[in-house]
Amino acid sequence: MWVPLIQKAFVKVHGYETGYETPGSTSSIDLWCLTGWIPESWNLRDWREMSVRQHGEMEAMWGDLSAGIREGYALFTAGPEGMDRGKSDRTGLDSGHAYAITDAVESEKGVRLLRVQDPRRSKVWKGLYSPSDAANWTPDLLA
């Protein structure tokens, strides 16, 4: 969780008093300025409508993501965009806010989950596999 905190400090030091609401401030740009690392962006918005080729690309992305986290050579963030206040309240996510992806796991039955953490800890995910979703947290997934 130290990377998002350093990133937030970076934004403040550069005079962006309102933080990530500042136009042009994204986790990719901020991390590039801090590390020199060239970011890569993946749009996962329309994953249900992907072609067969795109599903192959998604498999490659999952491999890169899980290996990068497991082996410690990559940083990942997620940022939902374009949500209205109602959807934000229903999901527990803020539009335009950067979340740290700290783990990627796949169960024996093929369920893939990301651990997404909010450095501000201001909201909690309310969708499938949320802390309060007892129906989907099977013993296989809890193991």
Side-chain angles (χ1 to χ4, degrees):
M1 291 303 295
W2 62 268
V3 173
L5 294 175
I6 291 173
Q7 180 186 3
K8 189 169 195 75
F10 171 80
V11 170
K12 295 292 184 185
V13 165
H14 281 78
Y16 304 128
E17 293 301 319
T18 59
Y20 295 105
E21 292 80 23
T22 303
S25 177
T26 66
S27 58
S28 294
I29 291 169
D30 298 343
L31 289 171
W32 174 75
C33 289
L34 285 168
T35 66
W37 162 75
I38 299 173
E40 182 176 351
S41 295
W42 298 333
N43 183 354
L44 306 179
R45 178 171 296 184
D46 301 318
W47 65 272
R48 289 184 179 110
E49 299 172 10
M50 288 183 173
S51 66
V52 172
R53 178 187 61 78
Q54 290 169 319
H55 277 284
E57 292 171 2
M58 181 66 86
E59 290 298 312
M61 286 189 293
W62 177 261
D64 291 346
L65 180 96
S66 56
I69 291 172
R70 183 178 57 253
E71 297 172 19
Y73 62 78
L75 302 171
F76 296 94
T77 61
E81 295 178 2
M83 288 192 306
D84 61 30
R85 186 74 173 152
K87 188 169 186 179
S88 177
D89 290 342
R90 286 190 305 278
T91 62
L93 299 174
D94 284 328
S95 182
H97 176 59
Y99 297 87
I101 299 175
T102 59
D103 202 3
V105 296
E106 185 168 358
S107 75
E108 292 177 9
K109 295 183 180 178
V111 176
R112 293 176 173 172
L113 298 171
L114 297 175
R115 181 188 301 137
V116 180
Q117 293 183 310
D118 180 1
R120 299 178 305 177
R121 301 192 188 274
S122 60
K123 291 187 176 183
V124 176
W125 170 245
K126 298 176 184 175
L128 295 176
Y129 303 101
S130 68
S132 61
D133 181 15
N136 285 299
W137 283 111
T138 64
D140 171 51
L141 292 174
L142 292 170

